[in-house]
């Protein structure tokens, strides 16, 4: 009974196509903050109080990330950062593959990764590092691009975060909050929205919204907007749900 929205950090997996406002959403979180910039996305955080580091796509880049994480974890424990962002986890997975290829020199017939060797190593690397991130005592935003699944006839049969193998299903399970991002035209203006419930093939969800459904199905792409609904400062109406 002593657990409330106020006692919990907001830890979100933020999923969507390019241009749907994922980085802008992360940039709206409380600062000072830190961005692990794997996808050269830092321009979206300009003017905000975020430190950041960027990573080249090679095994050295993965080693740099591991060193940076130790420093960020210490800074979080000292209260220096209120928010940590991984932008984006799809590119982070590619970096983990570079590390796996360095660790094991075996290659496929096409000189690429071997499925039951390198992809398993990537899964282990990513799962361990993501669990470390989730355990940080601060807000967390994990950004992922979308991978559209199609059948042999080209029909869309599913939508998942773009990650290697079973990580696309395993990683969202770590999070209570999984938000899908979209855009919509209203009166000639573009609105950026966060989807907090399953709609169609997008498996959004919010544990913090609870059985009371505090959050609208679609809500403005902003941290303060999310928190205002969760803390009861705003109430859902017919104009904010199922539009």
């Amino acid at each position: 009974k002593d657990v409330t929205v106020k006692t919990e950090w907001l830890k979100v997996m933020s999923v969507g196509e390019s241009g749907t406002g994922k980085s802008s959403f992360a940039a709206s979180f409380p600062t000072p903050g830190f961005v692990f910039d794997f996808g050269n996305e830092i321009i979206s955080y300009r003017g905000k109080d975020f430190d950041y580091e960027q990573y080249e796509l090679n095994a050295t880049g993965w080693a740099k990330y591991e060193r940076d994480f130790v420093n960020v974890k210490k800074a979080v424990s000292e209260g220096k950062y209120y928010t940590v962002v991984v932008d984006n986890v799809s590119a982070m997975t590619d970096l983990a593959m570079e590390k796996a290829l360095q660790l094991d020199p075996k290659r496929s017939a096409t000189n690429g990764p071997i499925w039951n060797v390198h992809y398993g190593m990537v899964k282990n690397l990513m799962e361990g590092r993501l669990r470390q991130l989730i355990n940080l005592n601060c807000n967390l935003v994990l950004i992922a691009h979308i991978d559209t699944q199609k059948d042999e006839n080209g029909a869309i049969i599913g939508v998942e975060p773009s990650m290697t193998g079973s990580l696309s299903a395993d990683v969202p399970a770590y999070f209570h909050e999984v938000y899908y991002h979209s855009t919509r035209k209203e009166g000639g203006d573009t609105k950026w929205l966060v989807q907090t419930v399953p709609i169609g093939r997008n498996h959004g969800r919010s544990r913090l919204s609870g059985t009371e459904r505090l959050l609208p199905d679609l809500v403005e792409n902003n941290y303060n907007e999310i928190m205002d609904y969760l803390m009861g400062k705003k109430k859902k109406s017919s104009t904010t749900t199922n539009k």
Side-chain angles (χ1 to χ4, degrees):
K1 66 182 180 181
D2 59 341
V3 175
T4 69
V5 171
K6 292 181 181 180
T7 68
E8 298 294 295
W9 298 103
L10 187 58
K11 300 193 177 188
V12 178
M13 186 168 189
S14 183
V15 186
E17 296 178 351
S18 296
T20 53
K22 301 181 299 298
S23 298
S24 297
F25 175 63
S28 73
F29 272 60
T31 56
F34 187 91
V35 180
F36 291 104
D37 181 19
F38 292 97
N40 294 316
E41 314 278 4
I42 202 62
I43 193 170
S44 298
Y45 302 84
R46 64 186 181 275
K48 305 285 188 176
D49 189 10
F50 283 94
D51 295 332
Y52 69 97
E53 291 290 345
Q54 296 176 303
Y55 305 94
E56 296 182 4
L57 187 58
N58 53 44
T60 302
W62 184 264
K64 181 179 185 301
Y65 163 70
E66 292 188 318
R67 293 193 301 271
D68 290 341
F69 176 80
V70 172
N71 295 331
V72 170
K73 180 180 179 181
K74 182 175 185 294
V76 168
S77 68
E78 294 171 349
K80 181 179 178 181
Y81 296 134
Y82 298 128
T83 299
V84 169
V85 180
V86 176
D87 198 350
N88 59 70
V89 72
S90 305
M92 183 183 180
T93 305
D94 293 339
L95 194 63
M97 176 59 77
E98 293 297 316
K99 180 63 175 178
L101 290 168
Q102 180 201 48
L103 292 172
D104 193 315
K106 292 191 290 290
R107 296 291 185 271
S108 69
T110 57
N111 201 38
I114 300 173
W115 180 261
N116 62 351
V117 176
H118 298 106
Y119 287 95
M121 294 171 67
V122 167
K123 186 175 189 293
N124 290 335
L125 285 168
M126 289 295 296
E127 285 184 333
R129 301 308 178 268
L130 293 176
R131 289 185 185 279
Q132 289 176 330
L133 284 160
I134 290 173
N135 287 332
L136 291 175
N137 194 29
C138 65
N139 298 303
L140 174 67
V141 185
L142 188 74
I143 293 174
H145 294 312
I146 272 183
D147 183 21
T148 302
Q149 311 292 319
K150 297 182 179 181
D151 64 17
E152 58 186 12
N153 298 316
I156 297 174
I157 57 175
V159 173
E160 295 180 340
S162 180
M163 301 179 70
T164 297
S166 64
L167 286 172
S168 60
D170 294 345
V171 174
Y174 300 166
F175 288 83
H176 292 163
E177 308 297 295
V178 180
Y179 300 160
Y180 276 73
H181 294 255
S182 62
T183 60
R184 182 175 67 197
K185 286 286 188 180
E186 284 190 5
D189 295 327
T190 300
K191 295 199 71 173
W192 280 263
L193 301 169
V194 168
Q195 173 190 318
T196 64
V197 296
I199 299 175
R201 298 181 180 89
N202 295 344
H203 301 298
R205 66 171 180 272
S206 173
R207 184 76 60 84
L208 288 173
S209 186
T211 55
E212 303 93 337
R213 296 282 300 279
L214 299 174
L215 289 173
D217 294 358
L218 293 169
V219 62
E220 185 180 332
N221 187 39
N222 184 274
Y223 168 86
N224 289 326
E225 192 80 1
I226 296 282
M227 295 306 295
D228 281 350
Y229 279 108
L230 291 177
M231 296 174 67
K233 295 179 181 178
K234 287 189 174 183
K235 301 290 185 181
K236 284 193 311 182
S237 68
S238 59
T239 62
T240 59
T241 305
N242 295 325
K243 287 182 64 176

